[in-house]
Each structure stands twice: as C-alpha cells, then as structure tokens.
Amino acid sequence: MQSMTNRLLLAVLLCAGCAPAATGGASEDSVVKTAAAAPSGPGLDLSGKRGTPLQSFQLKDVRGVPYRVSKHLGKDVIMISFWATWCGPCKQELAAMSPVYDELAGQGFAYLAISTDGPETLSEVRSYVGSYGYAFPVLLDSKSTVLDKFHPTGTLPFYLLVNRNGEIVEQHQGFSTGDETKLRAKVLSLLGEGS
Amino acid sequence: MNRFPRIWMWLVLALMVPASSAEAIELNWGALGDGGLAITDSLQIRYLETNFNSSDDDDGVLTVLNKLNLVGTAGGFSLGFRVDSAHYFFEQCVDESACLFQDYVNPEFNSEHLLPEKLHFGWEGSLGTGSLAVKAGDFYTSFGRGMTLNIRKVDELGLDTSLQGGRVHLQNDHLTFEAVAGRTNIQNVAPIDNRYLEDPDDVIVGIETLVGGDGIELGVRGVHVEYADATVLGHEESATIAGGSLNIPDIAGMFAVYVEGALSASHDYDPQADSAPFSNVPGKAFYGALNGFFGAFNLLLEGKHYRQFQISPRDNTLRTVGIVYNAPPTLERYDQLVSSTSDTSGARLRLDYYVRASGTRVYANGLYQAFATGGNDPLGDKGKRAAHVYLGFRQTFGRDVSVELSGGWRDERVSEPLQPGKSLLRHLWHLETDVNVKLGNEQALNVKAEHRTECKPSLSSKDEDCGLLDSEASGHRFHRSLITATYAVQSVLRTSVLYGYTNEQPRAVPTDHFGVQFDWDFMAGSTLRAFGGSLPGGFICAGGTCVDVPPSSSYRLEIVSRF
C-alpha cells in the first residue's frame, strides 16, 4: 500500500507538470466586442482561455421534457449553475443571474440552472422558479449524477463556464452578492471571443 | 507518529499543485480523442479540543483527512476513482493499543490509513434519438421520489452513499429504463465526527421503467435488498419493494400532478428460533403532490401515508448517522426534526406569491400529520400529532439589497394522554433572517440569524413554563440562536464571525459560542478555509433522517484544490 501511495502521488505531480500547456493565455486575437459596458479587472477576461471539453449530458426540465446540453455545445457560451431550494446562496445566484440571462440570451448565452434537490424537496423546485418567472431552463438532477461528474465534493452553489468551443474555462464554488457583475463581464468576454 | 511524513506530502500536494494550475487538465487520449483529467483534492486538518461531553478520552483528537478524486474523460468514456486517507492522533493516548481505536477507528484501517473509496468506469453515447449510459463501479441512483430507492449523496448531512456494482441507463423521449445491482458503499469516515464506519455491504438490485408521451409518464419499479449485517446475528434478512407512479407535469400550463405508491415486505429468518423462524412484515407507502401555477401565485399540496416503510442498514450506528436506502418525501422543512418516516400520515399546503414590480416574495406553509414510533399505528392510541405553520417574505431593493424574514410555530401532542389535559409533547417557535447587501463593486455583506425556543421532553430537568407534558417525561425549555456575519471581498475572500447561544441541557456545557472562519478562493475552483471556535451543535435533518451534531470547540483547516 505504501508503494501504491507513492505511485499515486507521483502520477498526480506528473499531471501537474502538464498544467502550463493546459492553462493557455489570453489570446491577442480575441476581440471583446460587447465588453465596453463590462467592468475590467484581473480574471474578468476569459477570452482565449482553453479548457477541458464539456461532456454532453441530458436531463429533464421541470416540465418533464428532456433537455440536451449538446444543442449549445460549440455554439453558445454556457453557464451551468448547480443549486437547491434549501441553499440560500444558490437562490441568490439564480435571482442575480436572471437579468444577465434576459440581457444576453439573444447574443448566444445559455444559462442552465440544474437543481440537485433530492426526493425530499423536489416538489418545491417548480413552485419556486415558477413564482419568480425565470426564463432560463431549470433542469433536474435529483440523483446528483451530473453534479458528481463535475464537482465531486458536492458543495453548493457551484457553477461552470463553458466557451463557444465547448470547453470548461472556469468553475467556481460559492456565491456572494455582487458576483453577478463579474460573471456578466466574463460572459461578455467569452461571447466576444467567438463572434 | 511515523505517519507524519506522508501527511506533509498530502499538504504539499494540496498547496503546491493548484498553484501551478487551477483548471482541469486537457489531454489527448490518442484514438479516444480529446478529453480531460479533473483532479479534486480535499484536505481537512481538524483538531477537536472538546465536544463538551462527560468523557475526556475523546477530546484532544487531531484528524487529518484527505479525499483525492480523479476523473478522466475521453469521448463518451470516463474513468474515475477516489482515495480517502485518514490519520488520527489522540492527545490523551499514552499507549496506542489502549486508545479508543476500537471505538473511533477500525484497527486495520488505522494501520493502512488508505481507503480506496470509489472506483467507476462508464460510457455514455447516443442510441437512436436517445442515450445509453453504462457504468461499472460506484454510482448514485434514486427511483421516483426516492420511495423505493434512494442511494445518493446527501450534502445537507454530509453523507455519501453509493452502490458499487453496475448500472444500465437508457433514455429517449418516451422511455427511460434503469437497472442497477451492487453492494452499498458508504463514505467510511463519518462527516460529523470523523469516526470510521464499516461498509454495510448490503446487496441491492433494482429496475425502474418510465414510459411517457403526450405529457403523461407512467413508472414501475422494483427493488430487492439482501442484508449482510443480519448474518452477524445469525439471521437472514431481506426486503422487497415494488411500486408505481403517475406523473403529469403539465396540465393546461396550470397544474402538475405526481402520485406514487409502493408495497414492501421485510423478511426475517431466525434459525435459532424455536417456533416461527420466519417473519414477514408488510409495509406500504402512498404519496401525492399537486402543483398549481397561476403566474406569480404558486400552490403546492402534498399528502403521504406510510406504514412500516423504511429500508435501512441493520447496523444501528449507521442509522444513527442517517443512512437509509429509501427516502419517501416527509413534507417537512429541510431543517425540521422528523420523528418518523416509516409510520406517518399527513398533508401540507404551501403557497408562494411573487410581486415582480416590488420585488416582494411571500410564502406560507402549513403541515398536519400523525406519526408513531416502534411500529405503532399513528392513527391509533399510541399515535402522535404534529402541526407546523411557518410564514416568510423576501424583499429585494434594486439589485444591491435583499432581506428575507421567516418564522413559524410547531406543536406536537400525544393522541391519548395518560393524564387528562397533558397531551402536549413538544412545541417550539422559530425565527430566521437573511440579509444581503452589496457594498460597491467589490464587497458584500451577509448577515444570517436563526433562533428557536423549544420545549421538549427531558428526564433530567423540568421547567414549569413549558406547560408540559405527557406524563412520561418532564419538560425542558431551551433557547438556541446562531448569528453569522460574512464580509466578502471581490468574491474571493470571505470572513465570517459567528455567535451561537444555547442552554439546551444536558448536552451543551457553555451557553455562548464564538467562531471565526476565513474562506479564500486562492485559485479558480480552489478554496482554503480556516475555522476556529466553538459551535452549539444541534440537529441537522434531511430526507427524513436527522443527525445530532454535538457541540464542539475545534480548529479546522480545509483546502479544496481543483486542477
């Protein structure tokens, strides 16, 4: 078991050595056409950033209709937010991102809110989002199978940002009031990259 | 102590590797095409100063717990594994062999320290207009609303139970089929107190089929459980559940209906019994939900009727930490103590109303149910009654300020008191508030507060002002509050201070608790968290099970690295 541990550590450290090639840098060619209204700052420009391809998945929405994320892959900028009705900061994030979605949906921004509510609170999901009249798709991952793919620790809220090439360029855990301003800037940056 | 060098290797790994890369690693897997390797490492170093109980032996415990999770993907393939590592150091321990290892840590585990917690290999691909997913190893699953099967992560309780075996999942627009088989695999290091728990190794097989079209979906499902732990007692125990459901998610754009029912049979064979070695306990469960959507006004009406219906490990310790294999909806608040999910009948009504023009949301919830323990009939003379009402509102002021306030009242009574007029079993009232303020472009403040005043049965103390109780016990009145203020800067640095108060007896020695926590997102997706102070503890409930978190004074450093 001792040698197994050492081999494991070695493998992980070797993988870490691959990191600089994967990180990439800001592309000089990228033009953020719509970023004029967005605040600038460190970490807000994701244009040119490369990442892991998002594995496609399919879930049902709150009306029971199958929803395939593949229809956005390679075309739209996607933000996937994992949330639950019992999670306060998650609900803040949904409320804060709703106007961002309303503003940018027409420019190729897809916002998917994936509820990880289990059987206990599943019945409350549609009532909750319905009363707010959110326009973005709300999908159900009551088995946490999709969440587990991208976020094994499972702590909510958690989001993924995917560029127009279908690559995950950012993932983040937690939400504080005001984060939506930065998220909007990042989305604009990614939208500008592919247009 | 000779294990320390390995601990520092983990620490160095957790701190240094994300500094070089904070994103998933993009790789080319040759013929399989482009893919990635996602590595998540969670390292927790916790020093438990005291848990305020009468024993000193379980105080002064240093635990170093690491969870390393790797998932490689290429095309439709994925391969992942998780290895946990735990190290325990007992301050009170002079002779290691005489320490609490037998209670706290499995001796074999303590010598190896490594747990290959999960391993899975999967493939997902298109099949006609639908998809097919095959998985071998560890996976989560639940059938319907969790009534017949619910093996999954319960974040609220920190539980992580998977089925280790195989799963086939087929889905298209009109058919969903899932078949599972495997043994139950729990997260062996308990999230509440880091104690080592053995895997139950119970074997579960199940099938679910959902057939839908034109807005109606019919489901049928069956599950069989063979209990491994029962053999320790010389018994052979098993359970079989079969059920069905009807889901109409959209009726004229205004309503949604979901109903589900199941029958169960728990079998026990005791070869030592002189007479009637076989016993069969039948159970049943029915659940229904009606949603109404009327623009800003939404309605939810739910009902339940469960009798002797709970599928859980035979090991009482595992039940104590909240592990169950099915979880029918309780209709309770997520944070409410649920006395029983196996014998209960009741209903709840919830109303939500949102005024978009003013940013005001109001909600009201009422629950009434009968419940019983020990296999008694909740509607009979051993039954108890619970009523719970709560109201709340959330108000936003522009995009910068939101305020939520809620409060409620709960009352529990026995059906037939031993003394006339002394039917009250437990009552409480509670208040919660959550305030968020955006301060400029880079800062935010969040203040949360919750309070409850409760009277509950107690054998050790009596408070006349409880006005209690059923004559089986005296009443103890206590207060519990928790206030947390969090200041966030640039959404990467958060500082929280908390104050907790409780005079609940006999579990909490101090009444006042203070703590400080720092959260720093030092790289995208990676967080360092440090906590120091004491917490009042209390019940955390989810999915019909509750975990009693003891009060504690501790210091904790946690690093979640993602690269």
Side-chain angles (χ1 to χ4, degrees):
Chain A
M1 199 61 86
Q2 174 80 46
S3 60
M4 179 188 162
T5 315
N6 292 338
R7 282 202 298 272
L8 191 64
L9 284 170
L10 181 63
V12 171
L13 290 167
L14 282 174
C15 287
C18 304
T23 307
S27 166
E28 292 180 0
D29 297 331
S30 63
V31 179
V32 185
K33 293 181 178 176
T34 50
S40 60
L44 297 185
D45 185 2
L46 296 176
S47 59
K49 200 167 187 174
R50 297 196 61 197
T52 312
L54 178 80
Q55 263 201 323
S56 185
F57 58 85
Q58 175 180 312
L59 291 170
K60 287 184 178 175
D61 69 12
V62 289
R63 291 174 184 267
V65 179
Y67 193 98
R68 296 178 179 85
V69 75
S70 58
K71 68 182 182 183
H72 297 293
L73 280 176
K75 190 173 69 173
D76 300 325
V77 172
I78 310 168
M79 180 171 168
I80 302 173
S81 289
F82 293 92
W83 70 287
T85 54
W86 47 264
C87 165
C90 301
K91 293 188 281 189
Q92 267 180 263
E93 181 178 322
L94 261 57
M97 288 306 295
S98 179
V100 178
Y101 173 77
D102 293 343
E103 176 194 354
L104 302 178
Q107 299 178 41
F109 174 50
Y111 182 71
L112 310 179
I114 299 182
S115 160
T116 61
D117 280 89
E120 174 69 10
T121 49
L122 194 56
S123 59
E124 294 181 15
V125 174
R126 195 169 167 196
S127 287
Y128 182 80
V129 297
S131 63
Y132 276 109
Y134 292 142
F136 47 77
V138 178
L139 313 180
L140 304 176
D141 183 26
S142 59
K143 301 182 186 186
S144 294
T145 49
V146 175
L147 174 67
D148 188 55
K149 269 186 189 179
F150 302 110
H151 185 44
T153 59
T155 314
L156 297 178
F158 177 77
Y159 72 75
L160 299 167
L161 264 179
V162 181
N163 66 14
R164 287 191 194 263
N165 296 323
E167 299 165 337
I168 302 169
V169 291
E170 184 170 298
Q171 41 193 323
H172 183 81
Q173 180 184 307
F175 184 86
S176 300
T177 301
D179 284 3
E180 69 276 12
T181 308
K182 285 186 173 182
L183 281 165
R184 179 178 173 276
K186 289 174 179 175
V187 170
L188 284 170
S189 160
L190 292 170
L191 286 171
E193 181 185 19
S195 57
Chain B
M1 288 298 171
N2 60 344
R3 304 288 178 183
F4 258 121
R6 217 190 290 175
I7 297 170
W8 292 112
M9 286 175 75
W10 285 118
L11 186 59
V12 169
L13 173 73
L15 282 171
M16 290 185 63
V17 175
S20 61
S21 168
E23 294 137 36
I25 298 162
E26 182 193 6
L27 294 170
N28 186 297
W29 300 93
L32 293 176
D34 289 339
L37 178 65
I39 304 172
T40 306
D41 187 80
S42 173
L43 173 69
Q44 186 194 89
I45 302 171
R46 181 195 189 215
Y47 176 72
L48 175 67
E49 189 175 32
T50 175
N51 53 10
F52 301 112
N53 66 11
S54 56
S55 169
D56 290 335
D57 291 345
D58 54 359
D59 296 337
V61 181
L62 175 70
T63 310
V64 181
L65 173 64
N66 193 85
K67 300 175 192 172
L68 177 66
N69 203 313
L70 291 92
V71 180
T73 54
F77 291 93
S78 66
L79 173 66
F81 71 89
R82 177 178 138 190
V83 178
D84 288 4
S85 165
H87 302 256
Y88 300 83
F89 303 95
F90 295 87
E91 198 173 75
Q92 309 293 338
C93 178
V94 179
D95 175 10
E96 274 200 358
S97 62
C99 282
L100 291 170
F101 289 148
Q102 65 272 32
D103 294 331
Y104 222 101
V105 186
N106 176 287
E108 289 180 18
F109 171 56
N110 196 52
S111 64
E112 292 292 344
H113 292 283
L114 277 176
L115 278 169
E117 185 60 66
K118 295 189 195 304
L119 174 67
H120 54 90
F121 173 73
W123 175 81
E124 289 180 40
S126 300
L127 187 70
T129 58
S131 63
L132 173 67
V134 181
K135 200 158 198 176
D138 286 281
F139 57 88
Y140 305 115
T141 189
S142 66
F143 288 173
R145 293 282 165 99
M147 186 179 285
T148 51
L149 186 64
N150 188 52
I151 306 283
R152 59 190 290 271
K153 197 182 277 185
V154 184
D155 292 323
E156 304 95 302
L157 304 181
L159 299 177
D160 188 354
T161 304
S162 60
L163 207 54
Q164 196 170 60
R167 180 181 70 181
V168 176
H169 185 91
L170 173 70
Q171 184 173 330
N172 63 30
D173 291 347
H174 301 291
L175 174 75
T176 302
F177 171 82
E178 182 163 307
V180 300
R183 64 174 197 97
T184 49
N185 176 25
I186 64 167
Q187 176 174 269
N188 297 95
V189 181
I192 300 300
D193 58 7
N194 286 343
R195 283 171 191 259
Y196 178 87
L197 302 170
E198 292 280 0
D199 283 320
D201 284 332
D202 298 328
V203 175
I204 295 180
V205 294
I207 290 179
E208 180 184 55
T209 303
L210 305 172
V211 182
D214 300 325
I216 297 177
E217 187 180 69
L218 287 168
V220 290
R221 47 192 72 91
V223 171
H224 182 75
V225 184
E226 289 283 342
Y227 293 108
D229 285 351
T231 58
V232 176
L233 304 171
H235 288 221
E236 292 176 22
E237 288 190 47
S238 63
T240 305
I241 316 170
S245 61
L246 169 68
N247 184 21
I248 310 175
D250 196 355
I251 303 173
M254 296 175 67
F255 296 100
V257 172
Y258 183 89
V259 292
E260 183 172 346
L263 300 174
S264 70
S266 297
H267 318 287
D268 185 7
Y269 169 61
D270 180 3
Q272 309 297 323
D274 294 332
S275 61
F278 292 96
S279 68
N280 289 292
V281 178
K284 59 188 173 185
F286 300 100
Y287 163 80
L290 169 69
N291 286 91
F293 312 105
F294 312 101
F297 175 70
N298 280 256
L299 170 154
L300 170 62
L301 177 64
E302 288 181 294
K304 63 177 180 181
H305 179 72
Y306 308 147
R307 290 291 181 277
Q308 305 194 79
F309 196 80
Q310 189 174 71
I311 312 299
S312 55
R314 287 293 163 264
D315 185 337
N316 279 333
T317 307
L318 297 180
R319 291 188 212 181
T320 304
V321 298
I323 293 170
V324 293
Y325 298 148
N326 70 336
T330 66
L331 323 188
E332 296 268 16
R333 266 169 69 108
Y334 72 93
D335 60 350
Q336 184 55 55
L337 173 61
V338 181
S339 303
S340 168
T341 54
S342 58
D343 286 287
T344 179
S345 298
R348 78 143 165 175
L349 175 65
R350 181 183 168 107
L351 306 172
D352 285 82
Y353 185 65
Y354 178 59
V355 185
R356 182 175 286 270
S358 62
T360 307
R361 175 190 178 88
V362 294
Y363 53 90
N365 189 96
L367 162 80
Y368 186 78
Q369 64 182 359
F371 65 96
T373 53
N376 291 307
D377 180 1
L379 300 177
D381 58 358
K382 298 280 188 183
K384 298 160 187 174
R385 304 284 184 270
H388 191 179
V389 176
Y390 60 86
L391 307 166
F393 81 93
R394 184 176 188 271
Q395 178 69 52
T396 55
F397 303 92
R399 291 187 181 184
D400 294 343
V401 180
S402 70
V403 177
E404 182 161 0
L405 181 66
S406 64
W409 167 88
R410 185 180 181 99
D411 182 292
E412 294 180 7
R413 292 175 186 273
V414 294
S415 299
E416 296 188 13
L418 296 176
Q419 294 180 28
K422 294 214 168 185
S423 64
L424 197 57
L425 185 62
R426 176 172 173 257
H427 70 79
L428 65 93
W429 60 266
H430 57 91
L431 279 174
E432 304 84 22
T433 186
D434 187 351
V435 179
N436 290 280
V437 181
K438 183 178 172 184
L439 307 168
N441 283 331
E442 305 289 353
Q443 298 152 64
L445 180 68
N446 170 251
V447 179
K448 277 184 184 176
E450 57 188 47
H451 173 85
R452 73 158 55 184
T453 293
E454 179 172 339
C455 282
K456 68 169 190 175
S458 169
L459 297 175
S460 59
S461 62
K462 183 175 182 180
D463 299 302
E464 295 297 336
D465 55 356
C466 270
L468 291 178
L469 280 170
D470 165 43
S471 60
E472 292 174 357
S474 301
H476 165 51
R477 181 191 184 92
F478 69 91
H479 309 279
R480 187 192 303 148
S481 302
L482 185 64
I483 303 171
T484 310
T486 302
Y487 175 65
V489 180
Q490 289 192 327
S491 73
V492 295
L493 187 65
R494 295 173 291 281
T495 304
S496 303
V497 291
L498 67 88
Y499 167 72
Y501 173 86
T502 180
N503 62 351
E504 183 178 3
Q505 298 296 336
R507 59 200 311 274
V509 175
T511 55
D512 299 288
H513 298 261
F514 299 93
V516 180
Q517 178 168 303
F518 296 98
D519 288 78
W520 175 36
D521 299 339
F522 57 98
M523 294 292 279
S526 298
T527 303
L528 184 149
R529 178 173 300 130
F531 170 82
S534 66
L535 294 167
F539 272 96
I540 305 174
C541 299
T545 58
C546 298
V547 172
D548 189 8
V549 181
S552 63
S553 175
S554 64
Y555 302 91
R556 191 174 65 239
L557 176 68
E558 192 173 358
I559 304 167
V560 178
S561 314
R562 196 185 316 278
F563 42 90

